[in-house]
Structures are given as C-alpha cells and as structure tokens.
Amino acid sequence: MGHIVKVRKPRPVNLDLQTIRFPITAIASIAHRVSGVITFISVAILLWLLSLSLSSPSGFESAAGFVDSFFAKFILWGILTALAYHIVGGIRHLLMDMKYFEELETGTLSAQVAFGVTAFLSVLAGILVW
C-alpha cells in the first residue's frame, strides 16, 4: 500500500484588514446584511415610541417632544436610510436570483446603482425628517 502524504497548504501571509480591499459587490452585500440588522433593531425602537404615544395624552406629548430633538431626528433618518438601502439591496438580490447582474461588470454596476439610489432616498428621508 502506498503512503498518503499530506501537504500543508501555505497560510495566507496578509491578514491585515486595513490593507485588504473588498470589491464594491462585497461591500454592497455586507451593507445589505448590516442594514437588515439595523432595520430589525429599529422595529423595537419604533414600537416603543408608538406605545408611548398611544399610552396617554401625556405619553403622546412625551413622544412628540422626543421626536422633535435633533438626536431623535438623526436616529429616525438613520433608520429610514437603512430601510431604504435594505429594500434597494433586496431588489438587487432578487434580480440577481433571476440571473441578472451576475457577471463581474454588471454586478459592480448594480452595486453602484444601489448605493446611488440609496443616497438619493437618504436625502429624501432627511428632507422628510427635518
């Protein structure tokens, strides 16, 4: 019987995350997951705010006062931006599931378009919130 020789694969030399450059398609995919988590967590915040506003007239005043603060408006803008990106990224992924934008060139272009559309929707959300 012959001997099986295990050859050790060389380990990656460069694991410095500051020098690794992800392609825009990878960044778009990671951002889609992050925006999903943000959207999921924001549901709790928005439900708490809704519950407070419906609890009593004074609860409504408290909620209205909270939403009028710069910090709350910034958070609401962030929630709307994350939701917008998650929807746009989701549509992009659905199109990719239907075999569109799967090549490197078109995938890169669709990621750029997704970021551009989200930037536009983010500006609209800022106008809406402020």
Side-chain angles (χ1 to χ4, degrees):
M1 294 200 155
H3 278 76
I4 298 175
V5 178
K6 291 186 177 181
V7 178
R8 296 184 77 169
K9 294 182 181 179
R11 293 185 171 254
V13 178
N14 182 3
L15 288 179
D16 184 5
L17 294 179
Q18 294 178 343
T19 62
I20 295 174
R21 297 291 171 239
F22 290 107
I24 191 167
T25 52
I27 295 168
S29 183
I30 293 166
H32 183 253
R33 288 171 174 81
V34 170
S35 68
V37 171
I38 292 169
T39 300
F40 179 75
I41 292 170
S42 68
V43 168
I45 296 168
L46 296 174
L47 284 175
W48 166 78
L49 195 57
L50 177 65
S51 175
L52 177 63
S53 72
L54 296 176
S55 64
S56 65
S58 65
F60 179 82
E61 293 298 325
S62 295
F66 175 73
V67 172
D68 280 340
S69 72
F70 175 81
F71 177 73
K73 287 182 180 184
F74 184 74
I75 295 297
L76 289 173
W77 171 77
I79 289 171
L80 288 173
T81 299
L83 178 61
Y85 182 75
H86 196 69
I87 291 170
V88 170
I91 292 169
R92 177 177 175 263
H93 280 286
L94 283 174
L95 290 170
M96 290 173 75
D97 287 343
M98 294 188 300
K99 307 296 182 201
Y100 295 101
F101 310 121
E102 288 190 320
E103 298 79 26
L104 181 60
E105 216 174 89
T106 57
T108 299
L109 179 63
S110 70
Q112 292 169 340
V113 168
F115 285 127
V117 169
T118 301
F120 175 75
L121 292 174
S122 180
V123 170
L124 286 180
I127 292 169
L128 177 68
V129 169
W130 277 285

